[in-house]
Amino acid sequence: MLTLQIVGADRILYSVDYPYVQDRQARAFLEQAPLSPADREKIAHGNAERLLKLKPGA
C-alpha cells in the first residue's frame, strides 16, 4: 500500500515471479487488497494496456 500511496495506481503493473510464486497467490492478493475497483482494474490490466498500446479486451 505504501507504493500505491507514493507512486499512485497509474504506475503499478500486475506481475508474478513465476515459477517462484504461483499466479493464484498473486491474484488472491490483488483481489483481497483494499483497492478501489478503478485502481484494481488499472493495476490488473489497464496500465499494461496503456503502456503497451494494446486495445482493451483484445
Side-chain angles (χ1 to χ4, degrees):
M1 296 306 297
L2 181 60
T3 301
L4 181 64
Q5 293 173 352
I6 292 173
V7 302
D10 292 326
R11 297 180 178 263
I12 300 174
L13 299 175
Y14 173 83
S15 68
V16 295
D17 193 13
Y18 181 83
Y20 306 105
V21 175
Q22 299 299 313
D23 183 54
R24 282 184 245 177
Q25 294 169 313
R27 184 173 176 178
F29 174 80
L30 181 62
E31 290 174 349
Q32 295 171 7
L35 301 168
S36 70
D39 285 351
R40 184 173 283 111
E41 186 175 311
K42 288 177 186 179
I43 293 168
H45 62 88
N47 292 336
E49 290 169 351
R50 181 176 42 82
L51 179 67
L52 302 172
K53 297 178 175 41
L54 301 173
K55 294 181 183 177

